[in-house]
Amino acid sequence: MHKRKLVFLSLALAGPSFSACFGGDGTGSDESFVRALCEAQTELSAGVDEAVTAAGGQTDPQKTIDLLIPPLEAYVDAFRDADPPEDLKEWHDASADQIEAAVERFKDERTLASLEGFEDSPVPDPPTAAKARLRAAAADVEQCAGVAFLRPD
């Protein structure tokens, strides 16, 4: 059961979390913002995969939790550091607060179950027009190839 939750967590965090990589002062371009999001998503995926692999031999679930915290915290930082276009600043700030709260809850509760909901992303979609614009910008960003949140709804 423990391994099953780790696999779920790995898939959930590596998937459509359009949530966790923005921040900044609202002066970024669509392309630079999307690049930061995709790079953060890729780093999160790699960090979670590494944690899941390292936890494979663990019998203590608390040690597994300890292994997952660093990539989650790095994702929060990358999300906050990304510089959104001006029209997405308010959305970005609110989203960053939500993803940070989800990670803090995970750290406080120290259970894999406390991360449930990541598979649906704890961050709301950006406004429809902006989301379409970001998808268009991502078409020219190599780091975004295969990133789930860029697929059509």
Side-chain angles (χ1 to χ4, degrees), residues 36-56:
L37 295 178
C38 293
E39 287 173 354
Q41 186 67 42
T42 300
E43 289 173 20
L44 175 63
S45 179
V48 168
D49 288 349
E50 189 175 305
V52 168
T53 299

Side-chain angles (χ1 to χ4, degrees), residues 59-78:
T59 56
D60 180 359
Q62 294 306 305
K63 289 183 181 177
T64 301
I65 301 295
D66 291 339
L67 293 169
L68 290 168
I69 290 173
L72 292 171
E73 289 177 328
Y75 191 51
V76 169
D77 291 342

Side-chain angles (χ1 to χ4, degrees), residues 133-146:
R133 222 180 53 229
L134 294 175
R135 281 189 179 137
D140 296 326
V141 177
E142 182 180 332
Q143 294 89 333
C144 293

Side-chain angles (χ1 to χ4, degrees), residues 2-105:
H2 180 66
K3 276 194 183 231
R4 214 164 133 190
K5 283 191 175 193
L6 284 176
V7 170
F8 160 76
L9 177 65
S10 179
L11 292 172
L13 291 176
S17 300
F18 183 28
S19 43
C21 14
F22 319 74
D25 61 8
T27 60
S29 69
D30 288 347
E31 185 176 327
S32 66
F33 186 54
V34 164
R35 183 182 316 280
L37 295 178
C38 293
E39 287 173 354
Q41 186 67 42
T42 300
E43 289 173 20
L44 175 63
S45 179
V48 168
D49 288 349
E50 189 175 305
V52 168
T53 299
Q58 293 291 334
T59 56
D60 180 359
Q62 294 306 305
K63 289 183 181 177
T64 301
I65 301 295
D66 291 339
L67 293 169
L68 290 168
I69 290 173
L72 292 171
E73 289 177 328
Y75 191 51
V76 169
D77 291 342
F79 187 91
R80 285 214 182 269
D81 289 346
D83 191 12
E86 186 175 341
D87 66 327
L88 289 173
K89 175 79 172 112
E90 187 176 314
W91 170 84
H92 174 255
D93 289 345
S95 297
D97 290 346
Q98 286 183 354
I99 192 69
E100 184 171 26
V103 171
E104 288 302 316
R105 184 176 60 250

